[in-house]
Every structure is written in structure tokens, then in C-alpha cells.
Amino acid sequence: MRNSHCVIGIETSCDETAVAIYHGERGLLGHALHSQVALHAIYGGVVPEIASRDHIRHVLPLVRQVMRESDVVTKDLSCVAYTAGPGLLGALLVGAAFGRSFAFGLGIPAIGVHHMEGHLVAALLEPNAPSFPFLALLVSGGHTLLVHAKAMGQYQILGESLDDAVGEAFDKTAKLLGLQYPGGPEISKLAEKGNPDRFHFPRPMLDRPTLDFSFSGLKTHAITTFRSVGNDPAARADIARAFQDAVVDVLSSKCKRALRETGLKHLVVAGGVGANQALRARLHELTLQEGSTVHFPRPTFCVDNGAMIAYAGWLRFCAGERAPLVIQATPRWPIELLNGSLVDAKVEASDGTINAH
Ligand code: KG4
Ligand code: ZN
């Protein structure tokens, strides 16, 4: 049997080039990722121009590799899904131009996927996944969102960060402590050795009735504490622990409030910070107490990956989406703008424009 009914997914929104193939009946056939972390580490963060150039070098070899490893040939592909935003414009344009052109050459549809919708459906690739509706906690380097996910393409934001995204707070705090980029995994490793009783960090916004977050104060608190302890070799681990405890407390408290307010029974967690073991453990405890369930992608699919884009593309393809013949790259793209996108999805246009805004 040939592998027809496949969607190939291409992710280039930030600092990973990732490709995967999803098959309608057989699930995920293959995925591969090239990380640019080493290229950006010396700068302490992602350099957009370096990111774009590196995506150009890797996207085609990765597509070839995943097709070969998945035993898929071009005529098996029904659709090409690429990340259309949000993300870095130059980086997005690489995947978008490649994906749209690849689909055009094959005479099949291309779908521009919203990166955060990709993260949101990543957990649905795992066994015992819930179906819509559910509560989603999206925690990445650029976003912190609590979302009522009503259906594919139907999202209501219940709460969001008013300043730094939670991943960004991890990264900035790690940098202040002299740790490597990306900071999330570094802080969580260090926190394991930290004394939980030495420092107590504030729990921002917990006293407010909303489901919004604020994380920039925690980073300031970390650096003030770090400066106050002088030359103490144990301080970094203790600060990492206090910082992580505060973040986990705030995220889990807001999830609890959102579960109670909405009456939703399933919590889906997504985005790079979803790989954090302390957060995973706390949310397991919380949902057990609340009589609800929690669902995470496997840690490699919490961070950016091609599988989530292929799967989101597959779900949209099945729902009838046929995007117009444009190369879509949208660096700023609130997830709520997707609402209704699957209702009026069947638009065919052919003006061949590049749609970057
Ligand atoms: O979803 P992602 O790969 O990229 C974006 O869409 O932003 O998330 C990356 C973020 C980074 O800020 C990184 O520090 C954080 O996820 N991260 C973690 C962990 N692994 C990655 N934060 C806390 N604990 C982790 N284990
Ligand atoms: Zn991401």
C-alpha cells in the first residue's frame, strides 16, 4: 500500500527547521529537526538574519530526509502545510516560500498554519487525547495564553501575559544568572539542586480576579536577589528553584481557576515550557484533585517541531481549507483571528502574491 493521504509539515518560524509527515490513517510517519541553538548561543538569543539563512540551508535536505525515511514519494502528498506565523518574518518566509512553491509544483493545496494552533494540537497526537472542547495552556518563548479551545479554529483567549511570555522570562532570568541560551532547560536543571526554602519569590497577579499573567517582575526579582547574595556558589541554584516554583505556582493556580470557571474537564498544555518537569508534575496533581485530565505532548513535541504543523495542516485540510495561491508570512497573528477561518476556508484565489504583513 502506498502512503497516499499524507500532509507534509514545514516549520521555520524561529530557530528550528523542522519537517514531518502525517498520514490520515497511519498517523505520524516521520519527523526530523535541525536545531540552530549552537549558532545563536554565542549571541545569547536568536539573531533573525542568521536564522533565515540557516533555514534556507536546511529546509530542502530535511524534506528529502523525512520523505525518504517515511517511504513517501511526491505523488503520495495531498497537501503541504507550512508555518505562516506568528514568528520572525525572514524565517517564516523561507518555509512559506518553499512550502507554497513545493505545493504549486505538485499541483496540490498548501495551508499556512498558525504556529500556536500547531502547538495546541501537538498533544492530540498522543494516546488518550481528548477531543474539543478543552482548556489549553500555551506556554512558549513568545506566548503565554489560557485558551478555551471550542473546536479546530475556534478559540477564546481567557488570559494572557501582560508583559514577558513565560519562556522569555525563563530565558532572560537564565541570561542574568550567566546560564546558556535557551534558558528554560538550564534553569530547570539547576532548580533540581536548589534549596526550596531559601528564597521566596512573589506570585504575580494571583491576587487579581483575572486569568492574565505577568512575568517580567520575577526576572527583576531574580537579578536583585542574585546581586544581594554576593559571591555565593549555591545562590544560582537556589534562585533558579525559587523562580521556577513561583512560575509553576502561578501557572497552576490560573489553570485551576480557569477549569473551575469554564467547567471544562480537560487541560491541554503546549509550547516549550510544557517540557518543564516541575510544571508537568504540578498539573498532574492539580487535575487529579479537580477531577479533570491533563494532556501534554511528548517533551520533543512541546518545543517547536514539524509534527504539530503537519497535524494541524491535516486537520484543516480535512475540514476543507484550501488556502489561496499566496505565500503567507504573518509575524504578528493573534490566535483569535483564526475564528471563523474554517467556515470561509474554501476560497480559491490565484493572484500569486506574497502576503507578508
Ligand atoms: O515553543 P518553543 O520551542 O518556541 C516558541 O514558539 O517560542 O518554546 C521555547 C521556549 C524557550 O523560552 C525555552 O527556554 C522554553 O521554551 N523551554 C523551557 C523548557 N524547555 C524549553 N522552559 C522551562 N523548562 C523547560 N524544560
Ligand atoms: Zn513554538
Side-chain angles (χ1 to χ4, degrees), residues 244-319:
Q244 181 173 277
D245 283 354
V247 168
V248 168
D249 241 23
V250 169
L251 290 175
S252 63
S253 301
K254 297 273 172 166
C255 284
K256 178 173 168 179
R257 203 179 283 172
L259 284 169
R260 288 186 177 183
E261 281 179 14
T262 59
L264 291 167
K265 287 286 159 224
H266 309 295
L267 170 63
V268 163
V269 184
V273 184
N276 185 279
Q277 291 303 330
L279 179 66
R280 291 169 89 98
R282 179 71 70 81
L283 293 179
H284 271 298
E285 254 170 55
L286 166 71
T287 47
L288 205 62
Q289 283 160 7
E290 296 294 305
S292 47
T293 60
V294 64
H295 306 267
F296 300 93
R298 66 199 81 167
T300 45
F301 290 169
C302 282
V303 290
D304 292 348
N305 64 86
M308 68 186 200
I309 303 304
Y311 189 48
W314 169 256
L315 293 175
R316 287 190 159 262
F317 178 73
C318 292

Side-chain angles (χ1 to χ4, degrees), residues 8 28 39 81 95 114 141-142 144 152 164 174 188 217 233 262 287 315 336 341 343:
I8 188 161
L28 195 64
L39 281 183
H114 191 290
T144 307
M152 190 69 187
D164 290 351
S188 75
T262 59
T287 47
L315 293 175
E336 282 178 320
S341 58
V343 180

Side-chain angles (χ1 to χ4, degrees), residues 16 115-116 119 139-142 167-168 170-171 182-185 188 271-273 275-277 302-304:
E16 342 261 9
H115 182 81
M116 297 314 289
H119 274 303
V139 275
S140 71
E168 187 182 359
F170 266 99
D171 294 338
S188 75
V273 184
N276 185 279
Q277 291 303 330
C302 282
V303 290
D304 292 348

